[in-house]
Amino acid sequence: MRDTRRLRLPRLSIRSLPGLLAALLLPLGLLTPAAAAASPPDATAAADPVRIMPLGDSITGSPGCWRALLWNRLQDAGHTGIDFVGTLPPQGCGIAHDGDNEGHGGELVTNVASQGLLPARLAATRPDIVVMHFGTNDVWSNVAPDRILAAYDTLLAQMRESNPDIRVLVAQLIPMNPATCAACAQRVVALNARIPAWAAGAHTSRSPVVVVDQWTGFDTATDTYDGVHPDASGDEKIAARWFPALAAQLGSTPGDPGDPGDPGDPTLTCTASFRSVSVWQGGYQAEVTVRNTSAAPVRGWTVTLRPADGARVTQVWNGTLKSAADGTATVADAGWNGALAPGASTAFGLIATTAGPAAPAATADCAATPAS
């Protein structure tokens, strides 16, 4: 005989319904709005990449193979959260890299400023950092340094309007010595000598402006194919100069050279070598190369320079100068170029005045700063 008694179900209160619904919906991948709000944030969500704009003319963009070398060097050092940006696409080089850039062949920085070309490019790419080597065509066109630096002012104001926290790395231009412009070599020297003071006046703590010396140690005879544009050797040098300054803006990562060593690191040592670059009546330009000769990284360095024959160092770039009454010059690192891995080197440039005919010469001693 069939049992006709009713099956009694437990009575559910209204208060218990949300919990039951959540239990039923969870296997289906659905959550009520309240439950979704209570979920913890995804800890694996990637931060936005740092957007880096290479800005300039054909030296930057056509094809600008130093960008490929720089990109891969940054990746190898652990700086993977970056994005090179620009309205121009990659232009070859045969090396896998993020090739977006803002290097327009033939452009003058003064024209870009006067014609208002940069704001639209900034709006399309929204860079956090600008890496700028700009002015070679202006120098070739005999545009005065005052006008070039005024164009830098305009571009910097436009960058800060686009992003008040933008960081700018500005190059002292690589040398140029084209067959059709005998005066270009000295014009580059004249512009480069003005850039550090311009940068110092433009720098702010919120939007820093950092000078990167691309001129010192670059030889148009071996590092360009036409006296202007870099060849493979020149690309290597340009990338090597940009790397420490850009890495410093990105912050340290475990793969960076120059990570602090243990307190038990051996004695830190460095050397400084002096090299004359050019000479004129009453003065000369020189380069000092600083090398970490110890087995541990150094976090900074100071060079004591004693010029021969009464010469006086009057200007330094990529370093901080202090001069004594007897003519001794003390040059400390500029911050971004202080950290050196074992065997690594950097350089600073200088201008000295002389009382009369004298061959450029100086003794140079180096002291390394230990990791703090």
Side-chain angles (χ1 to χ4, degrees):
M1 181 175 179
R2 187 173 59 184
D3 188 353
T4 59
R5 289 176 296 179
R6 292 181 180 179
L7 179 65
R8 286 186 176 271
L9 295 174
R11 180 173 294 178
L12 296 176
S13 68
I14 294 177
R15 292 180 182 178
S16 67
L17 286 175
L20 177 61
L21 287 173
L24 292 172
L25 293 174
L26 186 58
L28 300 176
L30 302 174
L31 286 175
T32 64
S39 301
D42 182 3
T44 62
D48 290 339
V50 179
R51 303 169 69 83
I52 302 167
M53 173 190 280
L55 173 64
D57 46 42
S58 59
I59 291 172
T60 295
S62 304
C65 290
W66 60 261
R67 292 182 287 104
L69 300 175
L70 178 60
W71 168 264
N72 283 283
R73 188 166 180 171
L74 289 166
Q75 297 294 301
D76 292 343
H79 297 290
T80 56
I82 60 174
D83 180 14
F84 278 13
V85 299
T87 59
L88 296 178
Q91 299 181 43
C93 294
I95 304 172
H97 70 292
D98 184 350
D100 298 331
N101 71 96
E102 210 64 67
H104 296 256
E107 279 196 339
L108 280 68
V109 68
T110 47
N111 287 348
V112 172
S114 65
Q115 296 171 18
L117 301 178
L118 185 60
R121 299 170 184 176
L122 293 168
T125 57
R126 300 176 292 105
D128 303 298
I129 300 174
V130 172
V131 174
M132 185 173 84
H133 183 289
F134 216 168
T136 298
N137 291 310
D138 302 79
V139 169
W140 202 331
S141 301
N142 199 20
V143 177
D146 283 344
R147 287 185 57 201
I148 297 173
L149 296 178
Y152 283 9
D153 283 331
T154 299
L155 266 55
L156 180 59
Q158 293 167 346
M159 293 174 196
R160 287 173 171 166
E161 183 175 356
S162 169
N163 177 2
D165 300 305
I166 201 161
R167 290 160 281 170
V168 181
L169 306 183
V170 57
Q172 288 176 297
L173 305 183
I174 63 172
M176 59 184 298
N177 190 25
T180 57
C181 183
C184 280
Q186 188 56 41
R187 290 178 195 162
V188 174
V189 173
L191 173 61
N192 283 345
R194 298 276 301 278
I195 290 176
W198 172 83
H203 178 93
T204 69
S205 58
R206 181 174 182 180
S207 174
V209 178
V210 178
V211 178
V212 178
D213 180 8
Q214 291 287 358
W215 192 92
T216 303
F218 196 100
D219 188 341
T220 56
T222 59
D223 299 326
T224 73
Y225 59 83
D226 60 358
V228 180
H229 298 89
D231 56 17
S233 171
D235 286 327
E236 289 280 359
K237 289 185 176 181
I238 293 172
R241 289 297 176 89
W242 282 128
F243 174 77
L246 186 51
Q249 295 299 320
L250 296 171
S252 62
T253 66
D256 279 343
D259 282 342
D262 296 329
D265 280 341
T267 302
L268 299 177
T269 58
C270 59
T271 60
S273 56
F274 176 94
R275 180 179 74 90
S276 172
V277 174
S278 60
V279 185
W280 55 86
Q281 183 65 34
Y284 60 81
Q285 182 170 340
E287 173 188 271
V288 175
T289 300
V290 179
R291 185 176 300 277
N292 178 10
T293 53
S294 54
V298 302
R299 301 301 294 170
W301 46 264
T302 302
V303 172
T304 302
L305 200 64
R306 299 176 179 84
D309 299 321
R312 297 293 181 114
V313 177
T314 58
Q315 184 178 343
V316 162
W317 51 92
N318 294 334
T320 303
L321 172 65
K322 291 184 179 179
S323 299
D326 64 356
T328 300
T330 302
V331 181
D333 65 80
W336 61 265
N337 60 352
L340 297 175
S345 64
T346 188
F348 64 87
L350 64 91
I351 291 177
T353 58
T354 57
T363 60
D365 299 315
C366 183
T369 305
S372 56

